[in-house]
Amino acid sequence: MIDKLNLLFVGVGGQGVLTASDIAAQVGLDLGLDAKKSEVHGFAQRGGVVESHIRWAPRVGSPTCEEGTVDILLSFEMLEAARWLNFLKPGGIVIVNRQKIMPMSVSVGTAVYPDEDTILAALKGRASRVIPVDALPLAEQAGNPRTVNTIMLAALSTLLETDPAVWETAILRRVPAKYAEVNKIAFRLGQQAALGSSTD
């Protein structure tokens, strides 16, 4: 049973990062732990960077993870995983959505988006395990592209000694009833993807 966990969720506005972090914090509480989260979303509505720290423990002090202390980095966008890698503890785990969202600097031609192999190599240089997930195509397969966050939470659930039903229940409590079935499908697809995708 988990008694202490530091998570960092990062991505781009509109990807459901903050909803996912709310659900992850709720799962910690449902497991009988103290759980706190802190978020920074700046220009999230305009596609800006979003970060959310989630901490589980018997008693949590600060809701923010210090650099080098994150057990699992959950990135909803490829480049954001590399940008926040310094928060991951050496030997931590990265779950990364393969989706690429070009930042403004790339769009205007003042920067170049690194290729996927370069990003994955950087992640593997620090992490003990990197789990790439094609979350957007899986969400579309489930029936709603907005279930990317459910796909990512399902992937996370496979790494922890927790009952998957706890995660699914927390997700279903958060989403409107009319989206329950599509989220159930997305959760299953996310679990399957994570279990079948890992680069050590």
Side-chain angles (χ1 to χ4, degrees):
M1 177 65 183
I2 296 168
D3 63 355
K4 186 177 181 182
L5 186 69
N6 286 340
L7 301 166
L8 178 58
F9 289 14
V10 298
V12 174
Q15 290 189 293
V17 176
L18 300 183
T19 298
S21 68
D22 286 343
I23 292 168
Q26 183 60 54
V27 168
L29 294 173
D30 292 344
L31 293 171
L33 297 167
D34 188 12
K36 291 183 181 175
K37 75 181 191 72
S38 174
E39 61 194 42
V40 177
H41 46 89
F43 295 103
Q45 296 300 320
R46 302 177 188 175
V49 175
V50 181
E51 63 170 295
S52 187
H53 303 244
I54 305 100
R55 301 188 67 209
W56 297 354
R59 189 170 187 276
V60 177
S62 169
T64 304
C65 305
E66 296 180 0
E67 290 190 24
T69 67
V70 168
D71 297 297
I72 302 174
L73 172 63
L74 193 83
S75 182
F76 286 55
E77 198 275 340
M78 283 292 295
L79 188 56
E80 292 306 316
R83 284 180 174 171
W84 292 93
L85 194 55
N86 58 317
F87 275 83
L88 188 73
K89 72 180 185 182
I93 298 173
V94 177
I95 303 173
V96 57
N97 179 12
R98 280 197 156 104
Q99 186 176 0
K100 300 172 183 68
I101 299 174
M102 300 299 150
M104 184 63 69
S105 58
V106 173
S107 299
V108 300
T110 59
V112 176
Y113 196 105
D115 63 60
E116 182 171 315
D117 287 343
T118 299
I119 295 173
L120 289 176
L123 301 181
K124 287 186 277 189
R126 187 173 182 93
S128 64
R129 188 176 174 195
V130 178
I131 302 172
V133 178
D134 288 311
L136 183 56
L138 288 172
E140 291 170 343
Q141 181 183 337
N144 189 329
R146 293 175 64 87
T147 59
V148 161
N149 52 9
T150 295
I151 300 285
M152 297 298 286
L153 286 170
L156 173 61
S157 75
T158 66
L159 298 178
L160 305 175
E161 295 177 3
T162 55
D163 184 348
V166 175
W167 291 87
E168 189 169 353
T169 298
I171 291 166
L172 295 179
R173 283 205 307 261
R174 181 62 189 255
V175 302
K178 63 182 178 179
Y179 297 122
E181 194 57 38
V182 71
N183 276 276
K184 288 180 182 179
I185 296 170
F187 191 81
R188 301 286 182 272
L189 291 173
Q191 286 183 306
Q192 292 166 9
L195 292 171
S197 173
S198 179
T199 61
D200 298 324

